[in-house]
Amino acid sequence: MFNLLRIEGYKARKFIPFYVCVGLLVAFFLDWCTQGLKQEAIDYWNYTTMHNGFVEGIQDCSFSFLYGMIVAWFAGIDFTNRTMHRAIAAGTKRWKIIVAKLVSTSIMVFIIHLLEAAGETAVFGRVFGFSFEGFSGKDLLWTGVVALQIIAMTAFYLFITVVCGNVYTSLFACVAVSAFGGNVLRNYLRGNYVYEHSFFCLAKSSSASDLIPCAVCAIIATVVLVVVASLIFKKKDVAN
């Protein structure tokens, strides 16, 4: 497993689409930082501090389509170029491949999400002043729960990729599902308890009433998705 994780880590460091996504995010937030926040938004949401930017960023799913794209592209390409099949033929356990893919893709997705949160925090700091007013240890716990939800989300996209079995179908399916789950559903299921504690809707606050159910649901979802994906992968023909 350790060697497999090292291989996946090496491939992740060479994965150009990840750096393209990071570059696009940085460019987007630099542009937003120069423009600042619209006064209408400040008045409507009552923004007053840099911490408000962190709150908005850590729970934001606006770029969830990027998460689906990263997972599908990184894991799906190994199906298409037969790297996955050679690993299986060499005797690598399929569940280990799933877990290694989950670790590598989760790290990439979480880095992108942290950059998104940092970008929004910087934009708000640019407007209201760079101050740590409002920040507390609860924010670290909040970030940790969001990390668990990111892992669950990544496991879901990895499950879709295993079912599809190639990079092109996986890309279409994951981007479509991520856009629908992260952007469309939240407009119709706002306030829905089940949806707002799923991995499609990241934890809304640092309160225990939000973090505990979000963490529990994320852990359960991750375990179930990894097991199901491993079982489906086990039944797939290596020659396909």
Side-chain angles (χ1 to χ4, degrees):
M1 174 61 79
F2 180 72
N3 288 335
L4 194 57
L5 288 172
R6 287 181 60 187
I7 293 171
E8 290 299 315
Y10 174 80
K11 289 161 61 177
R13 291 193 296 272
K14 300 291 184 179
F15 190 53
I16 295 177
F18 168 72
Y19 297 103
V20 172
C21 289
V22 169
L24 290 174
L25 276 179
V26 171
F28 173 80
F29 283 112
L30 284 176
D31 178 65
W32 190 15
C33 204
T34 57
Q35 296 181 28
L37 296 171
K38 293 183 178 180
Q39 189 61 46
E40 295 86 348
I42 295 174
D43 295 336
Y44 183 81
W45 296 106
N46 195 30
Y47 294 139
T48 56
T49 66
M50 184 172 74
H51 184 256
N52 294 136
F54 170 80
V55 171
E56 292 297 319
I58 200 66
Q59 63 170 319
D60 191 7
C61 289
S62 299
F63 294 97
S64 58
F65 69 94
L66 287 180
Y67 308 161
M69 185 195 74
I70 288 293
V71 176
W73 200 333
F74 184 81
I77 197 67
D78 279 351
F79 280 101
T80 301
N81 65 15
R82 300 188 60 79
T83 302
M84 193 84 75
H85 306 83
R86 289 195 292 270
I88 296 171
T92 306
K93 299 291 185 181
R94 300 193 186 200
W95 69 267
K96 290 184 178 180
I97 294 176
I98 295 295
V99 172
K101 291 288 183 189
L102 178 62
V103 171
S104 57
T105 50
S106 294
I107 291 174
M108 285 190 285
V109 170
F110 189 58
I111 288 173
I112 292 175
H113 189 73
L114 281 182
L115 286 174
E116 178 187 351
E120 291 204 40
T121 304
V123 170
F124 278 66
R126 171 76 171 75
V127 175
F128 300 112
F130 293 95
S131 168
F132 289 104
E133 177 187 356
F135 286 90
S136 69
K138 288 184 177 180
D139 294 325
L140 292 176
L141 187 60
W142 189 0
T143 303
V145 172
V146 167
L148 290 176
Q149 292 183 291
I150 291 290
I151 294 172
M153 185 189 300
T154 303
F156 179 66
Y157 297 140
L158 189 57
F159 163 75
I160 293 175
T161 303
V162 170
V163 171
C164 292
N166 68 79
V167 65
Y168 306 109
T169 309
S170 301
L171 272 171
F172 175 80
C174 287
V175 171
V177 169
S178 61
F180 180 77
N183 296 313
V184 177
L185 284 182
R186 67 179 175 183
N187 295 323
Y188 294 96
L189 296 178
R190 188 181 301 276
N192 181 279
Y193 184 86
V194 175
Y195 175 74
E196 292 202 345
H197 292 93
S198 70
F199 52 79
F200 277 125
C201 184
L202 302 179
K204 291 292 187 181
S205 73
S206 59
S207 67
S209 60
D210 274 331
L211 296 187
I212 292 175
C214 283
V216 171
C217 290
I219 292 171
I220 293 174
T222 300
V223 173
V224 171
L225 287 166
V226 168
V227 170
V228 174
S230 298
L231 291 175
I232 293 175
F233 191 25
K234 186 177 181 179
K235 293 182 179 181
K236 277 185 172 291
D237 188 352
V238 177
N240 288 336

